[in-house]
């Protein structure tokens, strides 16, 4: 089975936020929560880059390592998902995640902020695929329908790639070789303990 991964080509991202909007609309994510966001590094300086960020579904996910109730699990496709029915909202995963992916659904005092929410790679949750219960808690399950995450499909410049890790790495390598430069496969070393060698 393929190892599903994300890759953001920072040399192509134009900070249009189509990925953010697609995610919010597809999953009816509440106001104030962004499972995906676009950040700018070195804003206003030479070398400025924009990067689409979300859960990278890490190889050895730090969120899973620190969860006291083991609500995180890894699918056969190597996606890191969590069970909101088990989550106690302690926030340890938020502090452990190098990408800031897990978020509280509400602002307030501890205990009143709810259970954590994060990118599901459009793969739903532990409930039956494409059931109403799954949709209400996790949003659309595009993976069960044989589709890729909508954030990557809606990226107008194809800066955000999703799918089989080997295929998207080869796409990125080909791009870098064609244009003669690349700022790196952002987040790959941190998330997957490997680099995309050119």
């Amino acid at each position: 089975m393929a190892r599903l991964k994300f890759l953001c080509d920072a040399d192509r991202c134009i900070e249009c936020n189509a990925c953010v909007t697609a995610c919010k609309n597809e999953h009816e994510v509440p106001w104030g929560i962004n499972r995906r966001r676009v950040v700018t590094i070195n804003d206003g300086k030479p070398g400025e880059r924009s990067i689409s960020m979300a859960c990278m579904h890490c190889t050895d996910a730090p969120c899973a390592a620190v969860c006291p109730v083991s609500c995180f699990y890894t699918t056969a496709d190597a996606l890191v998902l969590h069970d909101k029915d088990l989550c106690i909202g302690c926030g340890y995963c938020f502090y452990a995640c190098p990408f800031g992916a897990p978020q509280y659904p509400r602002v307030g005092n501890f205990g009143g902020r709810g259970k954590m929410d994060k990118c599901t790679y459009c793969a739903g949750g532990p409930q039956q695929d494409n059931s109403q219960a799954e949709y209400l808690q996790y949003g659309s399950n595009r993976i069960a329908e044989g589709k890729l995450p909508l954030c990557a499909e809606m990226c107008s410049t194809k800066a955000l790639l999703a799918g089989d890790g080997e295929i998207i790495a080869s796409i990125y390598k080909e791009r870098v070789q064609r244009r003669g430069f690349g700022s790196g496969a952002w987040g790959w070393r941190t998330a997957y303990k490997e680099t995309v060698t050119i």
Side-chain angles (χ1 to χ4, degrees):
M1 186 155 279
R3 170 41 164 127
L4 299 178
K5 297 179 181 181
F6 278 124
L7 187 147
C8 184
D9 184 346
D11 294 307
R12 280 188 168 214
C13 182
I14 58 172
E15 199 178 355
C16 68
N17 284 287
C19 55
V20 176
T21 304
C23 178
K24 287 188 82 63
N25 289 340
E26 182 72 5
H27 303 296
E28 297 183 18
V29 177
W31 185 86
I33 296 288
N34 285 323
R35 289 182 178 176
R36 177 163 291 284
R37 62 196 180 284
V38 176
V39 297
T40 302
I41 298 171
N42 297 326
D43 195 11
K45 299 176 184 170
E48 176 181 306
R49 296 278 187 270
S50 294
I51 298 165
S52 179
M53 285 181 43
C55 175
M56 293 288 282
H57 302 276
C58 299
T59 299
D60 292 315
C63 56
V66 300
C67 180
V69 294
S70 301
C71 73
F72 290 90
Y73 62 97
T74 304
T75 68
D77 295 327
L79 300 178
V80 178
L81 303 178
H82 77 300
D83 187 335
K84 289 185 182 182
D85 292 331
L86 295 176
C87 178
I88 59 173
C90 67
Y92 288 177
C93 56
F94 170 78
Y95 293 106
C97 178
F99 305 104
Q103 300 174 51
Y104 285 106
R106 293 183 294 281
V107 176
N109 294 329
F110 184 78
R113 294 177 281 191
K115 298 179 180 197
M116 303 310 283
D117 187 73
K118 73 173 207 64
C119 165
T120 64
Y121 202 92
C122 290
Q127 288 87 353
Q128 181 181 347
D129 285 348
N130 293 319
S131 66
Q132 183 66 17
E134 181 186 52
Y135 184 79
L136 290 173
Q137 279 192 303
Y138 303 96
S140 180
N141 188 339
R142 294 174 55 86
I143 299 297
E145 297 170 2
K147 300 175 183 175
L148 289 174
L150 192 61
C151 57
E153 286 194 5
M154 296 303 290
C155 182
S156 62
T157 62
K158 300 302 174 207
L160 183 60
L161 301 172
D164 182 325
E166 292 179 15
I167 294 171
I168 61 176
S170 69
I171 292 169
Y172 181 72
K173 287 178 196 179
E174 184 180 312
R175 287 179 182 178
V176 171
Q177 289 169 348
R178 193 174 334 116
R179 67 183 174 222
F181 65 91
S183 59
W186 188 87
W188 268 52
R189 183 173 296 149
T190 303
Y192 310 125
K193 312 291 187 241
E194 62 186 55
T195 59
V196 178
T197 53
I198 308 301

